[in-house]
DNA sequence: CGGGGACTTGATACTGTTCAATTTCCGTGG
DNA sequence: CCACGGAAATTGAACAGTATCAAGTCCCCG
């Protein structure tokens, strides 16, 4: 387990996006900005905030002031239904943005909980709007970030609406794998930061079903599971599951 | 049925948002704009486009050029999985915006299909970004629109992830009712523009289950159903369904 | 008026849930 | 460092909710 964690070596890209300025600069990745513009951006970032495991970054109903870029660590966002049911709406890792749902009502629509000790950069939203209206490429990229969140949610809708338990879990693992790779970690070995219950809530199934499905994949040699440590043995098999007929 | 349709009388508000300029002005609803700014906005709107029933406004993969505001009519958006499965991701009616998911990749991520003869206003996106960077209140409101779409998708996630068939359909009917009211139509009588299959896809269930659940609600006197004509008899009963324990 | 898609309804099969009993893991304090 | 205790995970068996398959009806459009 410790061995697996060590195998998640940083790549240069991952290292870059881990430094404070660059987490925000991720907002303007697709284009080269002038150095004066970059300075303006960096001025916008508040100090880094440590968030320890299990604590919330914000809660549903909190007044919206800033977006947060995950610098290190791992978060989940979840809605709380009045009758107590919880729905996990997403998991956020290094370089991803939190809080975009709050813009619409000026108050947060969900809770954001750190699943391990983490650090975030605070991006005061008013300032971001001001700066971005002066830098068209930044504005455009920010719109892309918002839009990407919409697309992400919609592919999750597809998953919840038309896939079976096996397919959902396969898609989930492949998605995690892809995101780890983008950050320079190993594509086939990682540690889950969330519980089976979190996964189940996210994927619309019960924790027992998650556990059973993991066990089945394990028995079939598609992955090996040891608690939260996952090793993907046959990525193609997972791929087949997500796109197989009926 | 014709009678029900007639009972959906326009209110002043609905009438306003149906006129071309105002559909776009909906973008800047929360604040008063100067008349010069309103002129600038109105110049931005392309001509209105009629979209006849069954045709697509855009398809997945189409190059992204503009957002569309629904002026009259009714649309669905749907993702197509490679194996043929279709997932309806939303239904859009008068005054709602289409195409926000396309910003992220510059190409549309889903199909938009007119469910009845409709009209849309085209809002060229580049122009919108330019204008909105000059008018802070417009920029902010546009961000709210994007964010609202995220929130909308996330409450649908909750629905798909943690509700049973009955609860889903109840939530769906209440949501439609709410949106009709906002547009000045009757809150308890309306015509569904989509098929049972569309509803099922949207709510993550099979068309037979949709039909059966409608029949059960009908038998219990909660609603009356005649094909696509719905009359909500006991809104409270629907409310109880959506928020009842386990 | 005819044809075909949309809808309803029934019988059956199956996936995933629920309830319950263990086992494993991991943080905590002795 | 080890032992303890509680949370997390695994596994089984019975059950519930939906899906599937199939037959028949309705209704809308041409």
């Amino acid at each position: 387990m410790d061995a697996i964690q060590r195998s998640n070596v940083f790549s240069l890209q991952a290292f870059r996006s881990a430094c404070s300025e660059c987490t925000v600069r991720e907002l303007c990745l697709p284009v080269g900005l002038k150095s004066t513009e970059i300075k303006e951006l960096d001025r916008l970032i508040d100090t880094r905030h440590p968030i320890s495991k299990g604590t919330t970054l914000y809660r549903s109903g909190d007044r919206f002031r800033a977006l947060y870029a995950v610098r290190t660590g791992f978060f989940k966002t979840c809605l709380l239904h009045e009758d107590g049911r919880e729905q996990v709406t997403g998991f956020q890792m290094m370089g991803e943005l939190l809080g975009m749902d709050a813009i619409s009502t000026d108050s947060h629509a969900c809770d954001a909980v750190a699943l391990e000790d983490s650090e975030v950069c605070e991006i005061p939203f008013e300032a971001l709007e001001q700066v971005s209206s002066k830098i068209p490429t930044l504005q455009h990229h920010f719109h892309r970030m918002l839009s990407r969140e919409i697309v992400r949610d919609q592919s999750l809708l597809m998953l919840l609406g038309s896939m079976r338990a096996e397919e959902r879990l396969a898609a989930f693992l492949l998605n995690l794998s892809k995101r780890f790779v983008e950050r320079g970690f190993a594509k086939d070995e990682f540690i889950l930061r969330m519980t089976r219950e979190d996964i189940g809530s996210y994927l619309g199934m019960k924790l027992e079903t998650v556990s059973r499905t993991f066990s089945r994949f394990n028995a079939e040699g598609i992955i090996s599971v040891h608690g939260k440590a996952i090793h993907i043995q046959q990525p193609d098999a997972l791929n087949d599951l997500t796109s197989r007929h009926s």
Side-chain angles (χ1 to χ4, degrees), chain A residues 21-22 24-42 44 128 131-132 134-142:
Chain A
E21 317 84 51
C22 294
V24 170
R25 214 172 289 156
E26 188 123 332
L27 279 169
C28 36
L29 225 166
V31 288
L33 291 179
K34 293 175 216 137
S35 65
T36 57
E37 292 173 341
I38 290 183
K39 260 191 200 146
E40 187 150 25
L41 269 179
D42 287 346
L44 184 147
L128 177 62
V131 173
S132 76
K134 285 186 289 184
I135 308 176
T137 51
L138 174 62
Q139 184 196 36
H140 185 63
H141 192 67
F142 177 55

Side-chain angles (χ1 to χ4, degrees), chain A residues 151-164 167-168 242:
Chain A
V151 173
R152 190 191 69 79
D153 287 344
Q154 289 186 350
S155 60
L156 192 52
L157 288 182
M158 157 88 80
L159 186 145
L160 289 174
S162 66
M163 289 184 168
R164 298 195 338 230
E167 308 175 279
R168 294 180 195 191
T242 63

Side-chain angles (χ1 to χ4, degrees), chain A residues 58-108:
Chain A
Y58 53 77
R59 283 175 196 278
S60 175
D62 284 358
R63 176 155 165 55
F64 172 59
R65 290 172 28 257
L67 297 175
Y68 302 92
V70 180
R71 211 185 78 87
T72 62
F74 210 95
F75 286 82
K76 71 171 176 183
T77 47
C78 49
L79 296 171
L80 208 61
H81 195 116
E82 53 227 31
D83 63 9
R85 278 179 288 190
E86 174 184 287
Q87 173 70 36
V88 173
T89 57
F91 299 107
Q92 293 77 24
M93 48 205 281
M94 195 179 64
E96 293 174 333
L97 228 50
L98 276 162
M100 291 182 280
D101 52 282
I103 301 168
S104 84
T105 58
D106 262 332
S107 74
H108 287 280

Side-chain angles (χ1 to χ4, degrees), chain A residues 184-213:
Chain A
F185 297 104
K187 70 170 184 298
D188 51 1
E189 270 182 290
F190 47 83
I191 307 287
L192 299 173
R193 301 303 174 177
M194 69 295 282
T195 66
R196 302 288 191 261
E197 188 166 13
D198 288 333
I199 298 173
S201 171
Y202 182 63
L203 299 178
M205 51 210 245
K206 294 287 140 176
L207 69 93
E208 293 94 330
T209 308
V210 174
S211 181
R212 273 184 244 278
T213 310

